[in-house]
Amino acid sequence: MLFQRGKKSYTVYTVGAPVLKRIAQPVPVVTPEIRELAADMLAALRAFNGIGLAAPQYGQSLRMVVFDVPADSNTGTVGEVTLLPRMPLAVINPEIAALSDQTCEREEGCLSVPEIFAPVVRPARVVFRAQTLEGEFLEVECGGLLGRCIQHELDHLDGKLFTDRLAPEAAGRIRGDLENLRRMGQSTNYRRKSR
């Protein structure tokens, strides 16, 4: 179980940071440092009121993600029934083994792209594979908010942001806001601190 630490300040990297464009490296073994990173990432996730955070967003180019998707978002897929009661959850080396043909559009936001929201079309369900910090291997089909969050966070591990997936019209609507965010990020080295 992961717990939030005291009144520590947490940092999330924002659009424009080079770490967000790199392909993250696999985690070969769970060490005490990896466990501490997972705990810090979860605390940052809570400090910023998010539901998912990938290690590159925390400045570490590693294939690790923490999730804290609300249990009341359950739409009934096996993965949601299995994983939502276990939140918060930290996983290493996650991957998507299969995607459904059915798609759905939903507005997304991102801790690394603060205050910007836009509709993204994604597969409605995914088969998710990962390993927990305790060594348990997971392979489950996930839909709903959890399935979307998995796809969003795993994009971060491959150097992609949700803004890279927007239709041209939606991308055009946020272009100015995104450029303003990049300019603001230059003055803070693309870092956003919790309060």
Side-chain angles (χ1 to χ4, degrees), residues 113-125:
V113 189
E115 311 298 325
I116 295 177
F117 300 89
V120 181
V121 176
R122 293 192 187 268
R125 292 176 315 286

Side-chain angles (χ1 to χ4, degrees), residues 1 42 46 51 66-71 79-80 82-90 146 150:
M1 183 60 85
L42 180 61
R46 289 183 171 153
I51 61 170
V66 295
F67 298 102
D68 199 5
V69 178
E80 292 169 284
T82 304
L83 299 180
L84 289 176
R86 297 174 64 176
M87 296 290 162
L89 181 66
L146 177 58
I150 287 167

Side-chain angles (χ1 to χ4, degrees), residues 8-9 29 31-32 35 44 72-73 79 100 106 117 135 142 163 170 172 176:
K8 184 175 174 182
S9 178
V29 65
T31 62
R35 289 182 186 281
D72 64 3
S73 67
S100 70
R106 186 169 176 170
F117 300 89
C142 299
T163 53

Side-chain angles (χ1 to χ4, degrees), residues 124-142:
R125 292 176 315 286
V126 298
V127 175
F128 175 62
R129 284 187 193 146
Q131 184 179 357
T132 68
L133 298 185
E134 292 71 36
E136 176 188 0
F137 287 94
L138 306 171
E139 183 169 345
V140 287
E141 183 182 51
C142 299

Side-chain angles (χ1 to χ4, degrees), residues 92-169:
I92 59 168
N93 305 322
E95 61 181 331
I96 294 173
L99 303 164
S100 70
D101 292 332
Q102 180 187 1
T103 60
C104 63
E105 182 178 77
R106 186 169 176 170
E107 192 168 86
E108 291 188 22
C110 181
L111 297 180
S112 292
V113 189
E115 311 298 325
I116 295 177
F117 300 89
V120 181
V121 176
R122 293 192 187 268
R125 292 176 315 286
V126 298
V127 175
F128 175 62
R129 284 187 193 146
Q131 184 179 357
T132 68
L133 298 185
E134 292 71 36
E136 176 188 0
F137 287 94
L138 306 171
E139 183 169 345
V140 287
E141 183 182 51
C142 299
L145 183 59
L146 177 58
R148 181 165 290 268
C149 186
I150 287 167
Q151 293 175 73
H152 178 110
E153 297 308 328
L154 270 59
D155 271 354
H156 282 298
L157 303 183
D158 292 328
K160 292 186 176 125
L161 296 171
F162 83 93
T163 53
D164 298 325
R165 294 199 176 272
L166 298 181
E169 185 179 314

